[in-house]
Amino acid sequence: MARTLLLLIFGVSQTLFCSDLFWFSYKIVTANSVVIHEEKNIALAMIPYEGKKQVLCELPLQNSSNLSKEAFLRKNFDTILPCFYPLSTRVRSWDDQYLKHSNDRIELVIEPVRFTVDFKDEFATINAIR
């Protein structure tokens, strides 16, 4: 009984203090201007909140539906993606020349970052955790 109560208290405290913390990463690879691989990641981060907030952007998005924050972020992924470009982003480019053709390959990677999202009125504020 005591163990169950302890687990319940731990679960409630994790939900209260970590429910708004998310994890984001992105990778896209193109070859000759055609997307050959794309990886989009948004997930809840169940780790304690530590660090300072840095405002990344404020978007005119309204969460009027009954979606969870994670589902809402996944639905609007393409809208919030430009907010993360100023963070640890790297671009690599290869250009291989052959006799009759060339192979141009570009890779864009946004390193994993923790962030929070706050909804006020009709705006969503994205804050990076540093």
Side-chain angles (χ1 to χ4, degrees), residues 29 33 36 65 81 100-101 103 109:
V29 180
S33 301
I36 59 171
S65 60
L81 178 61
K100 294 186 178 185
H101 70 281
N103 187 15
V109 177

Side-chain angles (χ1 to χ4, degrees), residues 63-82:
N63 191 4
S64 60
S65 60
N66 291 332
L67 295 174
S68 68
K69 285 186 179 182
E70 184 178 2
F72 178 80
L73 291 170
R74 288 179 189 273
K75 180 180 172 186
N76 294 295
F77 188 90
D78 294 332
T79 307
I80 67 168
L81 178 61

Side-chain angles (χ1 to χ4, degrees), residues 17-20 24 27-28 38-39 47 59 61 63-64 80-81 83 98-99 107-108 110 112 114 122 124:
F17 297 111
C18 300
S19 63
D20 291 337
F24 175 91
K27 179 179 182 178
I28 188 168
E38 185 175 30
E39 209 176 288
I47 54 176
L59 300 169
L61 297 174
N63 191 4
S64 60
I80 67 168
L81 178 61
C83 295
Y98 298 105
L99 292 175
E107 180 179 294
L108 169 73
I110 300 175
R114 294 180 304 167
E122 297 177 359

Side-chain angles (χ1 to χ4, degrees), residues 50-118:
E50 293 176 6
K52 297 180 182 178
K53 285 186 179 181
Q54 171 192 356
V55 176
L56 291 179
C57 64
E58 190 172 276
L59 300 169
L61 297 174
Q62 185 176 9
N63 191 4
S64 60
S65 60
N66 291 332
L67 295 174
S68 68
K69 285 186 179 182
E70 184 178 2
F72 178 80
L73 291 170
R74 288 179 189 273
K75 180 180 172 186
N76 294 295
F77 188 90
D78 294 332
T79 307
I80 67 168
L81 178 61
C83 295
F84 293 94
Y85 287 153
L87 297 175
S88 49
T89 303
R90 70 175 190 263
V91 178
R92 291 190 282 183
S93 178
W94 299 272
D95 187 23
D96 299 327
Q97 297 289 331
Y98 298 105
L99 292 175
K100 294 186 178 185
H101 70 281
S102 68
N103 187 15
D104 185 34
R105 183 179 170 115
I106 299 172
E107 180 179 294
L108 169 73
V109 177
I110 300 175
E111 296 293 327
V113 64
R114 294 180 304 167
F115 74 99
T116 62
V117 60
D118 299 319

